[in-house]
């Protein structure tokens, strides 16, 4: 059914954003989740902990792309790896869980993403991490990087799952807690645990989260940095709880795997915040080549570019992953979802082509 490995070399994407990686090892983490580790390419894959890879597959003659967070740390793990949890009816996640074996080669886009931070041996930070389900994946890379690079920093991880069997990296987290006793605390919260479970149970609501956060204090540390990654409900609860505790926005780094872009567009439309939808001619500079094409009313810049066979980079098509990031050189766009961009990227004029529509007739975008 799948012809993933039949792609001829000349059909692969060109440019320095793309790469082929050979699978070294596949580890079953839980019933519905695998980690896929790759051989290091030459030169080694450069990435920051918390970033993601975009996997490009040809399934039933159609190109599909999905982003998966790296579960590894470039500071502690010799081989980069991603973790993939099955999604109900998910074409790619099920394919990767069922069919990927050592020795296979996957085409990828090089690592991207802003869910990361810099580390320094002199830092004295309290990292507070809240993860749900597969949201642990990027957090695992950041957590290991912080432990090895910042001997004076401490980490509290609150990790939510349905049951014991669904805890990804359970054993690895236990081992890290032993090795870094006093510096890493892992608090599991299970919504439907077995009767033997001694930890937190039920939904992690605002009051439980507040109590948990307030119970851990490290007065000797200089600053607190929050990382949040998981289902939308958990992320919203965590962000609003942190806001209610007076936590500054710039202390919170979050990564979302889901957005309802259509609902957002409707809301912006009703609020009169979008330009009238018109067909507009735009200019895109991609890898040194200049393209002119029309973006029909209702289409995004990425959709129109792909319709015109412009090989624009993309992955999630939801404004979350930044694979389609470009810089607005002139004109105006309506960007429906900008969750993947940092505030400073937005200030510098970066836009996401998958969630942007031209809002003036002089739009020029440069994709580097
Ligand atoms: S393709 Fe992911 S943000 Fe545009």
């Amino acid at each position: 059914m799948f012809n993933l490995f039949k792609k001829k070399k000349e059909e692969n994407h060109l440019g320095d954003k793309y790469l082929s990686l050979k699978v070294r090892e596949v580890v079953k983490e839980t019933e519905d989740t695998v980690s896929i580790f790759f051989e290091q390419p030459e030169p080694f894959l450069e990435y920051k902990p918390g970033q993601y890879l975009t996997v490009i597959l040809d399934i039933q003659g159609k190109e599909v792309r999905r982003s998966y967070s790296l579960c590894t740390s470039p500071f502690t793990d010799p081989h980069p790896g991603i973790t993939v949890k099955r999604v109900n009816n998910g074409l790619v996640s099920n394919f990767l869980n069922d069919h990927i074996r050592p020795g296979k080669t996957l085409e990828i886009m090089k690592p991207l993403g802003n869910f990361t931070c810099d580390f320094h041996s002199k830092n004295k930070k309290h990292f507070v991490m809240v993860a749900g389900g597969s949201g642990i994946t990027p957090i695992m890379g950041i957590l290991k990087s912080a432990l090895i690079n910042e001997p004076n920093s401490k980490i509290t991880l609150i990790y939510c799952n349905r049951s014991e069997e669904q805890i990804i990296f359970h054993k690895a987290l236990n081992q890290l807690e032993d090795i870094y006793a006093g510096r890493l605390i892992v608090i599991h919260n299970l919504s439907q645990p077995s009767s033997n479970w001694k930890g937190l149970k039920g939904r992690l609501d605002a009051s439980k989260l507040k109590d948990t956060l307030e119970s851990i204090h490290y007065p000797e540390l200089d600053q607190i940095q929050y990382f949040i990654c998981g289902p939308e409900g958990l992320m919203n609860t965590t962000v609003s709880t942190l806001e209610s505790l007076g936590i500054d926005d710039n202390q919170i780094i979050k990564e979302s795997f889901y957005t309802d872009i259509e609902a957002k567009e409707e809301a912006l439309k009703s609020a009169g915040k979008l330009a009238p939808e018109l067909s507009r001619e735009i200019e895109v500079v991609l890898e040194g080549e200049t393209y002119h094409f029309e973006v029909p009313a209702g289409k995004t810049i990425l959709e129109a570019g792909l319709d015109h066979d412009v090989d624009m980079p993309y992955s999630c098509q939801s404004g979350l992953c930044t694979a389609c990031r470009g810089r607005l050189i002139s004109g105006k766009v309506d960007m429906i979802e900008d969750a993947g961009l940092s505030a400073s990227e937005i200030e510098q004029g970066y836009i996401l082509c998958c969630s942007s529509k031209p809002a003036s007739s002089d739009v020029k975008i440069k994709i580097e």
Side-chain angles (χ1 to χ4, degrees):
M1 170 158 92
F2 298 101
N3 52 355
L4 164 65
F5 303 112
K6 291 187 190 147
K7 287 185 98 180
K8 293 198 289 277
K9 193 148 185 49
E10 60 270 27
E11 289 172 340
N12 285 0
H13 295 270
L14 299 174
D16 60 6
K17 286 183 193 306
Y18 301 95
L19 197 67
S20 289
L21 290 183
K22 190 168 174 193
V23 176
R24 175 189 169 86
E25 190 184 4
V26 179
V27 175
K28 197 165 172 67
E29 303 286 359
T30 67
E31 242 342 276
D32 61 0
T33 304
V34 291
S35 290
I36 301 169
F37 296 93
F38 300 99
E39 298 289 0
Q40 278 287 6
E42 241 347 292
F44 276 22
L45 188 74
E46 274 185 37
Y47 67 98
K48 292 182 176 175
Q51 289 193 309
Y52 62 86
L53 296 182
T54 297
V55 176
I56 305 172
L57 304 176
D58 179 5
I59 297 181
Q60 296 167 316
K62 195 165 176 259
E63 181 180 290
V64 285
R65 302 182 180 206
R66 295 290 185 278
S67 306
Y68 293 103
S69 295
L70 287 144
C71 57
T72 45
S73 160
F75 304 105
T76 61
D77 297 301
H79 301 285
I82 55 174
T83 299
V84 182
K85 181 172 172 143
R86 286 182 196 273
V87 173
N88 257 348
N89 300 319
L91 189 63
V92 178
S93 63
N94 284 305
F95 177 84
L96 293 173
N97 266 269
D98 292 333
H99 297 283
I100 292 302
R101 302 281 177 269
K104 301 287 188 193
T105 299
L106 289 181
E107 191 185 358
I108 60 144
M109 278 178 74
K110 287 184 181 172
L112 286 170
N114 293 324
F115 189 67
T116 186
C117 70
D118 293 326
F119 301 95
H120 196 287
S121 59
K122 290 211 163 67
N123 280 353
K124 286 186 186 173
K125 270 191 193 173
H126 183 193
F127 290 90
V128 177
M129 301 172 167
V130 181
S134 59
I136 189 66
T137 308
I139 281 186
M140 193 66 176
I142 298 166
L143 180 151
K144 289 196 272 186
S145 305
L147 288 170
I148 199 84
N149 286 319
E150 300 196 356
N152 300 312
S153 292
K154 298 187 176 179
I155 298 174
T156 303
L157 167 65
I158 303 169
Y159 185 21
C160 301
N161 280 287
R162 198 160 63 228
S163 61
E164 288 92 324
E165 299 73 43
Q166 296 209 319
I167 301 175
I168 303 170
F169 310 134
H170 200 172
K171 203 166 142 202
L173 287 169
N174 286 344
Q175 284 169 347
L176 286 170
E177 243 187 326
D178 284 346
I179 296 168
Y180 294 100
R183 291 187 53 214
L184 171 65
I185 297 176
V186 181
I187 301 168
H188 291 283
N189 184 91
L190 299 182
S191 57
Q192 292 168 30
S194 68
S195 51
N196 304 326
W197 180 250
K198 303 264 183 302
L200 293 179
K201 48 180 108 162
R203 209 169 67 83
L204 187 75
D205 58 18
S207 85
K208 198 198 287 182
L209 180 60
K210 198 164 168 236
D211 290 348
T212 310
L213 293 173
E214 287 179 339
S215 68
I216 301 161
H217 270 305
Y218 294 119
E220 73 278 17
L221 301 182
D222 303 333
Q223 47 170 314
I224 309 183
Q225 177 108 63
Y226 297 86
F227 283 87
I228 313 168
C229 186
E232 204 187 9
L234 175 70
M235 301 218 8
N236 291 342
T237 302
T238 308
V239 170
S240 59
T241 305
L242 293 178
E243 277 169 5
S244 75
L245 291 170
I247 305 299
D248 201 293
D249 215 30
N250 61 26
Q251 287 175 262
I252 305 171
I253 302 179
K254 47 189 198 280
E255 177 94 316
S256 185
F257 293 159
Y258 170 81
T259 182
D260 190 344
I261 200 163
E262 282 167 20
K264 282 195 176 164
E265 183 163 12
E266 271 315 305
L268 288 169
K269 219 180 250 174
S270 323
K273 292 191 174 160
L274 299 183
E277 287 202 349
L278 298 172
S279 289
R280 290 186 163 102
E281 172 101 5
I282 67 162
E283 181 179 310
V284 171
V285 180
L286 171 66
E287 311 241 339
E289 295 281 327
T290 302
Y291 302 87
H292 291 95
F293 56 87
E294 185 174 294
V295 182
K299 287 222 171 192
T300 65
I301 290 166
L302 175 69
E303 286 168 336
L306 295 177
D307 286 349
H308 286 85
D309 288 330
V310 181
D311 192 13
M312 292 168 70
Y314 69 94
S315 178
C316 70
Q317 293 184 267
S318 308
L320 299 176
C321 76
T322 71
C324 63
R325 192 185 80 154
R327 197 172 192 152
L328 194 62
I329 307 297
S330 70
K332 279 197 218 158
V333 300
D334 283 330
M335 182 158 45
I336 313 299
E337 177 59 86
D338 61 7
L341 293 176
S342 66
S344 90
E345 284 175 310
I346 293 172
E347 237 169 66
Q348 291 169 57
Y350 284 103
I351 62 158
L352 299 172
C353 295
C354 73
S355 67
S356 296
K357 297 177 177 177
S360 69
S361 50
D362 53 348
V363 170
K364 208 186 216 187
I365 298 159
K366 190 169 182 197
I367 300 174
E368 284 142 352

